[in-house]
Amino acid sequence: MAKSLLLIFSAFLFLLTPAFAQGDVKCAIAFDEVDPFDSLRTIGSQVVALGYLIPSRYELEDGPKIIEEAEAILLYSENDSISSFFFNLVLPEYKLQPIKPGMNVKLLLDDDSVIGFYNIPDEGEFDRTINMRVYQHTCPIPLDYYYKLAYHKIAQIRVEYENQNRTLMLNDEQQEALRAAIQCVGRRIGLYPIKP
């Protein structure tokens, strides 16, 4: 009797495991807010550090302050008339980097495909804590590209300024963290994973 109860209990746990594995995934969302004035809902992933550690232009006693080369966050905004994903890339730069609006943020994915995003231009803001200008590159993401980013890892990111290109190399942990952040935002709004 005890043996058959153990078998039934084991079978029950085996059947429940896939449900727990898919439905109980912990996603780190930085915020999920609704603006009371215009009912705009905005969801933001956790910030993901990208690239290497680099020296800033802020000098400490033992040398320059070390900072992240870049940071990224995925945003989703919706109200009653519009909804969209946005990829926001924050880059500190050593000098003024003029940039024109256009398809000047490009991602190299792990399947060797390259996708380009329209960049909403930013003149940068001087950050006194690092003595550098910080640029925010905000790119709207079409829904089909969202699903591509949720499935594939981003291996490299290139920003094409007017005078030079800036390429970020992502290590395996950063690639996985960025893909998880992208998936989490989609999961929060019910667009990921795609249900047949």
Side-chain angles (χ1 to χ4, degrees):
M1 177 72 175
K3 201 174 195 183
S4 61
L5 283 176
L6 183 62
L7 278 172
I8 292 170
F9 183 70
S10 297
F12 180 70
L13 283 178
F14 178 76
L15 292 173
L16 284 181
T17 302
F20 285 126
Q22 290 177 359
D24 195 29
V25 175
K26 301 275 186 200
C27 276
I29 296 293
F31 56 87
D32 185 349
E33 304 170 345
V34 177
D35 187 319
F37 292 99
D38 58 9
S39 299
L40 178 69
R41 180 182 182 195
T42 306
I43 301 168
S45 71
Q46 293 288 335
V47 174
V48 179
L50 304 176
Y52 301 104
L53 293 175
I54 60 171
S56 70
R57 291 213 164 144
Y58 189 85
E59 289 293 327
L60 301 170
E61 289 180 13
D62 55 348
K65 181 178 184 179
I66 304 300
I67 60 172
E68 301 288 350
E69 187 176 11
E71 293 179 335
I73 184 172
L74 186 80
L75 301 168
Y76 176 80
S77 291
E78 72 174 352
N79 62 15
D80 57 355
S81 60
I82 192 166
S83 63
S84 185
F85 288 98
F86 295 92
F87 181 69
N88 194 335
L89 182 65
V90 178
L91 283 167
E93 296 289 355
Y94 291 108
K95 60 184 182 179
L96 184 66
Q97 294 287 9
I99 190 166
K100 291 180 181 175
M103 304 290 279
N104 48 31
V105 174
K106 297 188 174 142
L107 309 180
L108 173 66
L109 305 183
D110 61 0
D111 67 348
D112 293 328
S113 63
V114 176
I115 56 176
F117 291 127
Y118 182 85
N119 180 31
I120 299 168
D122 179 39
E123 296 179 2
E125 183 176 315
F126 187 77
D127 185 342
R128 293 176 189 271
T129 65
I130 59 173
N131 284 339
M132 296 172 71
R133 202 165 195 81
V134 177
Y135 290 82
Q136 290 194 40
H137 305 287
T138 303
C139 307
I141 301 177
L143 192 58
D144 57 337
Y145 278 178
Y146 167 79
Y147 285 113
K148 190 163 185 158
L149 294 177
Y151 180 74
H152 291 284
K153 294 179 186 176
I154 300 169
Q156 296 180 32
I157 300 172
R158 173 169 285 174
V159 178
E160 297 175 347
Y161 293 106
E162 285 183 29
N163 301 323
Q164 74 176 39
N165 294 335
R166 174 88 180 271
T167 303
L168 299 169
M169 311 287 282
L170 280 63
N171 64 33
D172 291 339
E173 285 181 16
Q174 293 168 346
Q175 291 177 28
E176 191 57 52
L178 189 53
R179 183 172 68 174
I182 291 166
Q183 291 172 351
C184 282
V185 173
R187 190 172 277 122
R188 176 60 73 101
I189 59 171
L191 289 176
Y192 180 86
I194 301 174
K195 295 178 177 63

